[in-house]
Amino acid sequence: MAGSINTSKVAESQQANSVLLRVAGITVRFGGIVALDDVSFDVRRGEIAGLIGPNGAGKTTLFNCLSRLYDWQNGSIEFEGTPLADVRRHRVAELGIGRTFQNLALFKTMSVRDNIKVGAHCRSRGGFLANALRLPLTGREEPKVDARTETLIELLELGEVADIPAVDLPFGTQKRVELGRAIAAQPSLLLLDEPAAGLNHQEVETFIELIRRIHEELSLTILLVEHHMNLVMRVSDRVFVLDFGRKIADGTPDEIRRDPEVIRAYLGTDS
Amino acid sequence: MGGLYVNRTRLILVALVVVLACALPFVLSSYRVFQFNMVLVYAIVLLGLNMLTGFNGQISLGHGAFYAIGAYVAAVLMDHWGVPYWVTVPVAGVICFIAGFLFGLPALRLHGHYLALATFALGISMPQILKYKGLEEWTGGVQGIVILKPEAPFGLNISQDQWLYLFTLIIALVMFWLAWNLLRGRIGRAMVAIRDHPIAAEAMGIDVAAVKTLTFGVSALYAGVGGALGAIVVQFVAPDSFVALVSITFLIGIVIGGLASISGVIYGALFIQFVPNIADEISKAAPWAVYGLFLLAFIFLAPAGIAGFVRALWARLTTGSTRKKRAAQTQET
Ligand SMILES: Nc1ncnc2c1ncn2[C@@H]1O[C@H](COP(=O)(O)OP(=O)(O)OP(=O)(O)O)[C@@H](O)[C@H]1O
Ligand SMILES: [Mg+2]
C-alpha cells in the first residue's frame, strides 16, 4: 500500500516537470510571407508560459497550428507525445488543448450558458439517436454538463448574464465567456490569445487573480499571448518571444526583460 | 423558480394546443378537416427544414424534392405491393434520410448562395425525374398514382377523414417530441454552434462534417414522412404536384413562422395552407399579387417571424403582470 502511494508520488513529481507540448522547427508560409520560421520551444506540465512579440510576429498563427486550423510546411508539434499532424481538427479539444480567440469567436445567438455547454461537448456523449429518443445515456450526461456549467458560471461571475445571448454583452464579458467555454472542455493545455485586450487597469488586476485561480484550481498548463507586458511578466513562469516569425528569446520574465534582442525588437531600432 | 413557472405555463399551453388539435376533426366540416390535416403535414416538413436551415444554417431550396420522394415511396409501396399505408410512412422516412445524408455530403463544400443553388437544382429537376420513362412502370409517369383512402382501424366509429387526421396528428406529435429532444440537447447546441461559428464549433470538438450531414439526413427524413402522409391524405401523387414552387413555399413557411423556432413551424404551416386560399378569395384575378402583399405585410410586421412576434408579445404581457405583482407586494409590506 505504502509502496504504491510512493510510486504514484514519484510519477506525479516526474510529470510535473515533463514536457506537455513540444514545438520543433515549425515553419508556416502564406504565399511570400513567412509567418513562422523554424520555431521551437517546449511547454512543461503545470507552468504558465507567456508568448509575446510585436504585431504580426506570428503568435496567433502558432495558436492556429496548435488547434490544427493552419497546416505547417516544416517541423512537428507533439502534445503529450502525440504528433498533432495526425490529429483531426475536431479531436484537438478532446486531446486536451483548449483555446480562446483573439477576435472573439463566440456563438453569438446562443446564451452565455449554452456557449459554455458547447465547450463541454467533447467531454460528454450522446448523438442524434440518444438525444432524440432521450435514451438513458442522455439522462446521465446532460445533468453532468449542467452541473459543470453552473460551477463555471459561478467561478467566472457570469450568473447575472447567463441567459443573455453572447452578442449582447460588452467585449470584456464576452472574453470571460470564451474563457469559460474553453475551460468547460477540461483542457490540460489552455491557449489564451490576448485575453486581457480591452480591459482597464482595475480589470487587469482582477483578471490576473482569475488566471492564477483557474491555473491553481484546475491544475492547468497555460500558454498566454498578451501585449499587456505587466500582466505577462507577473503571471508567467517562462516567456517566449517571437519577432517576424522567429523565436528571438526564451527565459524567465527577468531574463526576458533584460534581453537586448527583445528590447531591440520592441523598440524597433536597427543596430 | 422563474424557470419552473415558465416551464409549467409552457406545458399547459402545449397541452391546450394538443387538446384543441384532437377536438378539431369532431367540430369541423370534412373539408376543413382535410385542410388542417395538410397543416399537420406541412408542420412536419417545416420542422425538418427549420432544423436544417434555421438551426444548422444550411439553406435548402430543394426540400420539395424530399417531400416528393416521400410521397412517391408511399404511393408506389401501396399501389404496387399493397403495403399498408402506416408502414409506408417510416419507410419513406428512412429512404429520405439516406437521400438527404448523401446529398449532405457534397453540400459540405457549398455555402450560402451556392448551397441554395445546388438544392434548388434538386428541387427544380424533381418533376422531370418523376416523369422519366424508365420509371413509368412504378411512378405512373405524367398520370401519377391514385391511392385509396384508409378505413379507421379497430372498428372505430369515425369517418375516414377524421381517422386520417388523427393518424397524422399522432405522427406529428411524435415527430415534434423527437425534434424537441434533439434540439434542446447536446446535438441541438452543436447544430446552432455550427451555424453561428463553424470554426469555433470545430475547435470545441464538434465533428462539423458529421453533424451537418446527419442534420441534412434528419431534415430530409422529416420531409419524407410529411410527403408520405401528404400523399395518403391527398390520395394522389403526380409529378406536377412537386414543382420547384413547393420548395420555395416551404422556405417561406419557416421564415414567416420563425427561423430556428419549433413552435414557429406551426404558424408557418398555417400560413402556407391558408393564405393562398384567402388570397384566392380576395381576388380571383390576381391571387398571387395578394399572396405577395400578405408576404410583405408579415415580413414588415413580424421581422423575427410569427414566433418571434408572439414571444415579444408574451414577454410584454408577463413582465407587465410581474410588475403588477411586485406593485401589489410592495403595497402589502
Ligand atoms: N490566413 C492567413 N493568410 C495570410 N496571411 C496570414 C494569415 N494568418 C496570418 N497571416 C500573416 O502572418 C503573419 C503573422 O500573423 P499573426 O496573426 O500570427 O500575428 P500575431 O503575432 O498574432 O499579431 P497580433 O499581435 O497583431 O495579433 C502576419 O504577417 C499575417 O498577415
Ligand atoms: Mg494575434
Side-chain angles (χ1 to χ4, degrees):
Chain A
M1 282 287 267
S4 73
I5 287 170
N6 268 342
T7 38
S8 75
K9 265 194 183 155
V10 170
E12 206 173 279
S13 64
Q14 276 179 346
Q15 266 202 331
N17 276 318
S18 67
V19 172
L20 181 64
L21 175 75
R22 168 159 289 159
V23 175
I26 284 294
T27 300
V28 176
R29 284 183 219 99
F30 296 110
I33 304 169
V34 184
L36 288 174
D37 185 4
D38 197 20
V39 172
S40 301
F41 65 89
D42 289 346
V43 177
R44 296 183 205 120
R45 204 176 286 275
E47 74 178 348
I48 299 184
L51 179 61
I52 62 172
N55 290 114
K59 307 178 293 294
T60 300
T61 301
L62 181 72
F63 271 22
N64 286 342
C65 291
L66 292 175
S67 38
R68 293 295 278 114
L69 295 178
Y70 288 175
D71 286 323
W72 51 89
Q73 279 80 38
N74 265 317
S76 71
I77 304 177
E78 273 182 27
F79 180 76
E80 289 188 310
T82 308
L84 268 192
D86 300 343
V87 177
R88 289 177 61 200
R89 217 180 261 179
H90 69 272
R91 292 281 178 212
V92 172
E94 198 184 348
L95 199 66
I97 303 179
R99 75 171 291 180
T100 65
F101 293 82
Q102 180 174 352
N103 306 306
L104 296 171
L106 282 174
F107 308 119
K108 290 189 185 127
T109 64
M110 298 176 90
S111 68
V112 167
R113 180 174 280 118
D114 279 349
N115 266 280
I116 296 177
K117 282 186 183 175
V118 173
H121 185 91
C122 68
R123 296 292 170 225
S124 53
R125 290 182 310 144
F128 278 73
L129 263 187
N131 274 216
L133 297 172
R134 277 205 202 187
L135 297 185
L137 172 71
T138 322
R140 287 195 301 271
E141 292 288 313
E142 201 67 1
K144 273 196 268 176
V145 172
D146 288 348
R148 179 150 190 82
T149 303
E150 294 315 312
T151 317
L152 288 177
I153 284 177
E154 198 166 315
L155 177 73
L156 295 165
E157 295 171 4
L158 290 166
E160 294 261 297
V161 296
D163 292 315
I164 295 178
V167 71
D168 294 336
L169 296 170
F171 188 76
T173 317
Q174 290 196 32
K175 284 253 158 192
R176 218 153 7 110
V177 178
E178 261 212 13
L179 182 60
R181 184 179 71 176
I183 317 173
Q186 295 170 265
S188 35
L189 175 65
L190 180 59
L191 311 172
L192 300 176
D193 200 346
E194 303 197 16
L199 300 187
N200 66 30
H201 183 72
Q202 185 53 46
E203 289 166 331
V204 167
E205 291 302 315
T206 324
F207 184 74
I208 290 175
E209 288 298 307
L210 181 65
I211 287 290
R212 286 190 171 137
R213 217 175 130 196
I214 59 174
H215 174 246
E216 185 94 352
E217 284 183 18
L218 307 169
S219 52
L220 282 171
T221 305
I222 296 177
L223 182 57
L224 171 73
V225 165
E226 194 39 82
H227 282 296
H228 214 288
M229 271 323 133
N230 175 27
L231 187 159
V232 180
M233 296 303 181
R234 275 168 62 192
V235 301
S236 303
D237 299 308
R238 276 187 318 141
V239 177
F240 313 115
V241 189
L242 287 181
D243 187 30
F244 290 114
R246 284 186 319 109
K247 187 177 87 172
I248 56 167
D250 170 343
T252 64
D254 276 337
E255 289 166 351
I256 294 299
R257 241 182 242 125
R258 286 193 300 265
D259 192 298
E261 274 245 45
V262 176
I263 295 166
R264 198 178 312 138
Y266 270 90
L267 296 180
T269 49
D270 238 329
S271 57
Chain B
M1 284 279 271
L4 213 65
Y5 168 74
V6 169
N7 274 344
R8 196 193 290 164
T9 11
R10 183 179 270 172
L11 215 64
I12 292 170
L13 276 176
V14 170
L16 269 176
V17 171
V18 172
V19 169
L20 198 75
C22 288
L24 270 184
F26 302 103
V27 293
L28 293 180
S29 72
S30 81
Y31 181 62
R32 289 273 179 238
V33 172
F34 164 78
Q35 285 183 319
F36 275 100
N37 205 340
M38 287 312 290
V39 169
L40 292 174
V41 167
Y42 291 145
I44 295 172
V45 179
L46 296 187
L47 187 54
L49 182 59
N50 216 354
M51 230 179 252
L52 182 72
T53 303
F55 286 87
N56 197 214
Q58 301 190 74
I59 190 164
S60 171
L61 284 175
H63 254 48
F66 298 113
Y67 184 68
I69 294 173
Y72 266 84
V73 166
V76 172
L77 283 178
M78 289 166 73
D79 185 52
H80 258 255
W81 284 286
V83 175
Y85 67 98
W86 53 271
V87 176
T88 66
V89 177
V91 175
V94 169
I95 288 176
C96 284
F97 173 83
I98 296 168
F101 181 82
L102 292 178
F103 195 86
L105 289 172
L108 285 173
R109 299 181 167 277
L110 304 171
H111 299 279
H113 299 115
Y114 293 95
L115 183 57
L117 291 190
T119 49
F120 187 66
L122 183 69
I124 202 161
S125 51
M126 197 36 93
Q128 256 131 53
I129 295 172
L130 295 172
K131 283 178 197 166
Y132 176 60
K133 281 259 183 316
L135 295 172
E136 213 171 78
E137 192 189 330
W138 291 282
T139 59
V142 190
Q143 303 299 319
I145 304 168
V146 176
I147 304 167
L148 293 180
K149 209 183 257 187
E151 293 285 344
F154 323 120
L156 282 176
N157 190 19
I158 54 176
S159 75
Q160 289 171 316
D161 289 320
Q162 286 170 328
W163 163 244
L164 213 46
Y165 173 92
L166 291 176
F167 175 69
T168 310
L169 180 62
I170 292 166
I171 292 179
L173 288 176
V174 172
M175 298 307 275
F176 269 78
W177 181 74
L178 292 172
W180 174 271
N181 290 342
L182 186 63
L183 293 169
R184 298 284 133 169
R186 176 174 184 262
I187 297 297
R189 288 192 297 268
M191 285 180 189
V192 179
I194 290 169
R195 179 196 71 195
D196 279 6
H197 204 304
I199 292 171
E202 200 150 45
M204 295 305 127
I206 294 170
D207 188 344
V208 172
V211 172
K212 283 176 83 169
T213 43
L214 285 169
T215 303
F216 222 117
V218 172
S219 173
L221 181 151
Y222 272 74
V225 166
L229 288 168
I232 298 168
V233 172
V234 180
Q235 295 170 262
F236 177 62
V237 293
D240 290 332
S241 322
F242 303 104
V243 290
L245 185 62
V246 173
S247 299
I248 310 286
T249 304
F250 290 153
L251 195 74
I252 291 174
I254 60 165
V255 175
I256 292 289
L259 284 169
S261 156
I262 296 178
S263 61
V265 302
I266 298 172
Y267 307 125
L270 288 166
F271 183 94
I272 62 178
Q273 171 60 35
F274 289 112
V275 170
N277 290 355
I278 297 169
D280 207 41
E281 274 165 32
I282 292 174
S283 164
K284 286 266 182 294
W288 285 108
V290 179
Y291 184 81
L293 285 177
F294 266 104
L295 261 185
L296 289 173
F298 272 91
I299 291 163
F300 279 107
L301 295 176
I306 302 174
F309 183 78
V310 171
R311 208 178 301 128
L313 204 69
W314 178 253
R316 189 176 290 178
L317 286 175
T318 47
T319 51
S321 71
T322 40
R323 216 178 284 148
K324 268 182 226 152
K325 259 186 229 158
R326 270 204 207 121
Q329 275 170 357
T330 34
Q331 272 189 343
E332 271 169 36
T333 49

